[in-house]
Amino acid sequence: APSQILSTSPAKPSASILRRIAQKLKRWARSILDALWVAARATEIGVILSPLLVLTPASVLTVRLLDTSKVSDMSWWYTLHSLQLLGPAFVKLAQWAATRRDLFPPHICNRLSRLHDNARIHSWKHTDETLAKAFGNYEEKGLQMDPNDIIGSGSAAQVYRAKLAGQTVAIKVLHPKISERVDRDLMLMRRVASLLDSVPIEMIRMLSLPRAADN
């Protein structure tokens, strides 16, 4: 009987395998980009806060030796300015610290409490563009706003006093790129908080830094 010859060829990889490989490569690329961003952001934070390495001891010495608070006031001004410059996540963390009088001295809480309603103010141009994007021609719809009538500005948004249909209302407008900045800074804060929380020092663990970062 004639012999039967069977020819075989290498099996082509299935679409599901290729899809899994692509997803894994995508996760790796995202992890690398996140790590690079964290390193860049950490460098930026270090540069912005580095003057405090000089201002803080200088303020302590001038208060004790010269009995003047001018350097201390300048140090605190730069601290608050830096926190606002770093973004909403850092302002929020400072606001949390301002409420923890059981952990921090009263004078530190009093200074940080200024950030509750006196954060940096974003431009009227951003407010106008945000309202126009959300409501169209909001002035034709009866919403009257004064660019200078700002009730307060917090870590995530600022609030305006306005008129709508003859009634006084409050309009809250988020700061520019608030979601992206908060998400990335919180990722950095969670990593740092977890690292510090692993240190076997009771005082640090009492701060509950991972929970503070999540909140």
Side-chain angles (χ1 to χ4, degrees), residues 162-179:
K163 290 284 187 179
L164 180 62
Q167 295 185 341
T168 301
V169 295
I171 303 294
K172 179 181 286 187
V173 181
L174 295 176
H175 293 313
K177 298 180 180 179
I178 183 71
S179 297

Side-chain angles (χ1 to χ4, degrees), residues 90-175:
F90 288 85
V91 173
K92 195 68 178 178
L93 183 61
Q95 291 174 342
W96 166 82
T99 64
R100 297 305 305 268
R101 293 179 179 269
D102 57 322
L103 299 176
F104 302 105
H107 72 278
I108 292 180
C109 295
N110 291 338
R111 296 274 192 173
L112 293 178
S113 65
R114 298 179 184 179
L115 293 173
H116 281 292
D117 296 309
N118 295 301
R120 296 182 70 183
I121 296 174
H122 64 242
S123 68
W124 168 252
K125 179 182 178 182
H126 170 73
T127 296
D128 183 57
E129 291 175 349
T130 302
L131 292 175
K133 184 178 180 179
F135 305 111
N137 193 332
Y138 58 89
E139 292 181 342
E140 288 186 354
K141 297 179 180 179
L143 180 61
Q144 301 175 354
M145 295 183 63
D146 180 356
N148 298 316
D149 197 358
I150 300 173
I151 299 175
S153 181
S155 61
Q158 66 190 41
V159 182
Y160 292 84
R161 185 181 290 105
K163 290 284 187 179
L164 180 62
Q167 295 185 341
T168 301
V169 295
I171 303 294
K172 179 181 286 187
V173 181
L174 295 176
H175 293 313

Side-chain angles (χ1 to χ4, degrees), residues 58-73:
S59 63
V60 173
L61 290 175
T62 53
V63 168
R64 292 183 177 180
L65 300 179
L66 303 178
D67 195 24
T68 177
S69 63
K70 289 183 179 180
V71 178
S72 178
D73 292 339

